[in-house]
Amino acid sequence: MTKTKIKRSSNTNIALLQEKQKLEHPQIVLTGQPNCGKSTLFNEVAGYKSAASNFPGATVTYTQSHVNLHGEIFDIVDLPGIYSLTSMDQAATESQRYLLTHQVDVIINVVDASTLSRSLELTLQLMDLEIPMVLCLNMIDEAERKGIQIDIDKLSNELGIPVVATVASHGQGVRDLFRSAFATVNQPSPARHIRGNRDVELVIAKLTRQLKKDVGESIPFSIHLLATKLLEGDQTFIDIIQKMHPHILPIVEKSARALAQTHGKPAHEVINAERHAMSMSLFEKVATFKKPKIQLRDRVDDVLMHSFWGYLIMAGLLYLFFHTVFSVGALLETPILNFFEGLKATLLGSINPDSLIYHLLSSAIEGIAGGVAIVLPYLLPFLAGLAFLEDVGYLPRVAFLMDAFMHRVGLHGTAVIPAVLGYGCNVPAVMATRILSSSRDRYIAAVIATLVPCAARMTIIFGLVGVYLGGTAAFGIYVLNFLVIVLSAGIMSRLLPEETPGMVLEIPVYHWPSMRSLVNKTWFRLKEFIVIAWPLLIGGSVLLALADAYGWSPALDQLTRPVTWLLGLPKEVGMTLLFGILRKELSMLMLFQALGTRDVITVLSWGQILVFTIFVVFYVPCVATIGALIRQLRARRAFIIVVLTFILALILALLTRGFVFLIG
Amino acid sequence: MRRHRHNHSQALTLDQIKSGETVWVESIQGGWGCCQRFNQMGIHAGDPITVKRNGVLGGPILIQVHGSEVALGRGMARHITVALQKILNDT
């Protein structure tokens, strides 16, 4: 395994028609429904690359890794989980586009064996792509526990493709799976064409013939798939035909009408029902049933999703979570800081403390110390804890519990998931808004996600308010933040009074997370901080020392003076606010630099500390988050969010200043 | 074959079903997107659904369909009309 790339496919539907690039190594693509264990499988072979979790929509864009497995070299791509190949939401559109536009030598269709009957519907659509394919019956142990016995050979015969049973979380069957995938690259077995009712097939066949005649040359993918998707009313394919061969559309409409007339329901329902019937009959052919084993975890939801106990436990869990993070962080912070103080004294003892070199080295060490002592002790337990909650499968339960509440602010339960992720980092949170199906819901959810104080802002809340004003005040900021979020979401949904489509969310079974997946995910997210934030932190520290030495900082401080003046903060603070836009945690670390002391209370009053923290918690999202917002919502909406959060932060900080003045 | 149907003046919808009961989907009342979302989760006309949890007013309901559990907002559940007995297709 070497490098990994996260790419984004192009936005135009016409891209589907372009020539595919020929790549050096076989391209193995993992695809399947959410929660089927795709990312776990990917992690098993690719290492620290893709983040798996136990909620739908975990894979943000596709993740690619170059793998050397037992001497065979190949590229492996993990696509976002999709329930069907119809472009319903962003994840499906992205997966669909990838499969149609990139070189794909073999598809590994990963299936949760315990939900085989439903999963086969996607399998049938994937087979329509006419790309060599292997079916991976993952979580086969889960199926057996549910009393479902699957005849693997029979399933393989029925579909005409290799079928391999695996338990990816234990690495079981993974080697066989890839061996089989390789064999398929070199010698693809012809997939069976599984067809449904005669009258439906006749309509599809007729349309297929027509399409072959009229557009056959210009379409580089399966015409049968095109015909089916056109009948299903898939917008992506309709757009293509609209642009390229508009005269086909009336023919499609006529076929769709014919289907609707004979079946008494719209064509898309006819096709879906047909595929469902085929999957069910396949499933019944290959599966035998026994009595399921009832385990403790089947009863857990009686309590965790209970309409009283569920909420109590959720509140308790969240409290315990933050409490643990804070106490672990506080426990580690002081000894680490002391260590670096000692280090600095020994290293720089012989250098003249007035020289420029002393300032540069000392600020560099402080930058390193800031990263290690302040960010890591809080971040590591936090990210590990969040990864655990995700992998266990608790987040969809939170969505269920919060649905009624979220309706009050004009959203539905699913929107809770990006919000909760936001407490870790706003970037994946903004990306996770893709699991919502309406663009208005995604907009509001993205605003919520950016207002949620991420782990970096958590270090500021704990590091300043927590240390100088106490834990209760720190908790108070979280409560205030929560109220502001509720209010903002409420106002936004009043301004965008479109009805939310409502929640349809799979609740996966609880899984004891594999250590590997937990470590991978925590590392994956921690790496972002180490690779991006730390150099910025050290660089920023040094820059600040230079700015001081050469007298640049007054200019920057002057630039931000209107804000600092308004908030009653010393002008040296101005520059730290600018740094905070790069990375939030820089605000506090730079504050230490700018004020020339770690003991902030000697320079700022407690009121000023509070005003500063409130402003930093709410103002302008960091650069990375702005990037994610632009990708997810486009520049205009991202810009609106930036301006609004700035105004919001200003108002809240001014109110805080007034409040501090009053209780003086 | 005979077709069993309940003679309600108003169609019975999924949100009215109590916890623990099993019903059969009669139809999905909704547009393209709505149908697709239900179909993706394995909910189609004729399928059996067991309501696992139908709690407080306005809250979502939890159902079991084809071996997986799905949470549906109450408004979404209203789109699904159901029958208390298996519907036998006469085609």
Side-chain angles (χ1 to χ4, degrees), chain A residues 362-491:
Chain A
S362 121
S363 58
I365 291 175
E366 268 161 35
I368 296 170
V372 179
I374 294 165
V375 180
L376 291 190
Y378 295 103
L379 206 58
L380 190 65
F382 183 86
L383 292 178
L386 191 66
F388 181 78
L389 284 183
E390 270 179 55
D391 276 10
V392 160
Y394 187 61
L395 293 192
R397 270 83 185 176
V398 175
F400 179 85
L401 290 171
M402 295 297 284
D403 186 59
F405 170 80
M406 293 301 278
H407 272 285
R408 287 182 179 253
V409 299
L411 290 170
H412 59 82
T414 320
V416 152
I417 289 175
V420 173
L421 289 179
Y423 282 99
C425 174
N426 288 175
V427 176
V430 169
M431 299 310 269
T433 57
R434 65 168 52 226
I435 60 175
L436 298 169
S437 56
S438 108
S439 106
R440 169 247 190 210
D441 284 8
R442 282 198 295 271
Y443 189 15
I444 303 178
V447 172
I448 294 179
T450 45
L451 285 177
V452 166
C454 61
R457 279 175 273 177
M458 175 181 77
T459 62
I460 302 178
I461 296 174
F462 285 142
L464 289 176
V465 174
V467 169
Y468 298 111
L469 279 78
T472 320
F475 183 69
I477 291 189
Y478 273 91
V479 174
L480 171 77
N481 174 270
F482 182 76
L483 292 177
V484 170
I485 287 173
V486 170
L487 212 67
S488 319
I491 292 170

Side-chain angles (χ1 to χ4, degrees), chain A residues 201-458:
Chain A
E201 285 305 328
L202 272 176
V203 175
I204 300 179
K206 207 173 139 201
L207 185 61
T208 308
R209 268 201 305 280
Q210 181 78 42
L211 287 169
K212 264 203 182 115
K213 207 173 79 201
D214 289 16
V215 303
E217 300 292 295
S218 57
I219 303 285
F221 48 84
S222 148
I223 300 285
H224 187 271
L225 178 80
L226 177 67
T228 326
K229 288 295 161 198
L230 284 174
L231 286 173
E232 270 184 81
D234 188 319
Q235 204 55 45
T236 311
F237 293 94
I238 292 178
D239 285 349
I240 292 178
I241 292 299
Q242 177 95 56
K243 281 216 179 79
M244 309 273 302
H245 309 280
H247 69 282
I248 300 280
L249 284 184
I251 303 172
V252 173
E253 267 159 39
K254 206 175 123 205
S255 310
R257 262 203 309 278
L259 269 185
Q261 227 156 38
T262 46
H263 289 260
K265 51 187 171 191
H268 65 92
E269 268 190 72
V270 177
I271 304 255
N272 267 317
E274 199 58 36
R275 203 154 40 219
H276 179 56
M278 287 190 272
S279 309
M280 287 307 284
S281 90
L282 254 174
F283 178 64
E284 275 155 22
K285 267 186 215 161
V286 300
T288 44
F289 304 94
K290 283 194 305 197
K291 216 171 134 56
K293 284 184 210 146
I294 301 288
Q295 286 184 340
L296 181 66
R297 62 174 173 172
D298 297 308
R299 308 248 57 117
V300 169
D301 274 337
D302 292 349
V303 184
L304 288 190
M305 290 173 88
H306 190 268
S307 49
F308 174 72
W309 298 114
Y311 292 97
L312 206 68
I313 291 173
M314 181 172 70
L317 268 176
L318 290 179
Y319 174 76
L320 199 74
F321 182 43
F322 281 100
H323 185 76
T324 315
V325 168
F326 181 51
S327 37
V328 171
L331 209 68
L332 295 175
E333 190 184 327
T334 328
I336 300 180
L337 274 179
N338 288 342
F339 168 77
F340 275 101
E341 281 299 319
L343 192 71
K344 198 168 90 178
T346 10
L347 281 181
L348 303 178
S350 56
I351 303 175
N352 175 10
D354 287 327
S355 64
L356 180 64
I357 187 90
Y358 177 88
H359 281 295
L360 286 182
L361 286 176
S362 121
S363 58
I365 291 175
E366 268 161 35
I368 296 170
V372 179
I374 294 165
V375 180
L376 291 190
Y378 295 103
L379 206 58
L380 190 65
F382 183 86
L383 292 178
L386 191 66
F388 181 78
L389 284 183
E390 270 179 55
D391 276 10
V392 160
Y394 187 61
L395 293 192
R397 270 83 185 176
V398 175
F400 179 85
L401 290 171
M402 295 297 284
D403 186 59
F405 170 80
M406 293 301 278
H407 272 285
R408 287 182 179 253
V409 299
L411 290 170
H412 59 82
T414 320
V416 152
I417 289 175
V420 173
L421 289 179
Y423 282 99
C425 174
N426 288 175
V427 176
V430 169
M431 299 310 269
T433 57
R434 65 168 52 226
I435 60 175
L436 298 169
S437 56
S438 108
S439 106
R440 169 247 190 210
D441 284 8
R442 282 198 295 271
Y443 189 15
I444 303 178
V447 172
I448 294 179
T450 45
L451 285 177
V452 166
C454 61
R457 279 175 273 177
M458 175 181 77

Side-chain angles (χ1 to χ4, degrees), chain B residues 46-61:
Chain B
D47 286 343
I49 285 179
T50 305
V51 175
K52 301 263 290 188
R53 188 164 284 281
N54 187 352
V56 282
L57 287 168
I61 72 168

Side-chain angles (χ1 to χ4, degrees), chain A residues 376 379 523 525-536:
Chain A
L376 291 190
L379 206 58
W523 166 241
R525 293 186 180 159
L526 198 62
K527 203 173 72 178
E528 298 265 293
F529 279 86
I530 296 176
V531 175
I532 302 168
W534 223 4
L536 271 172

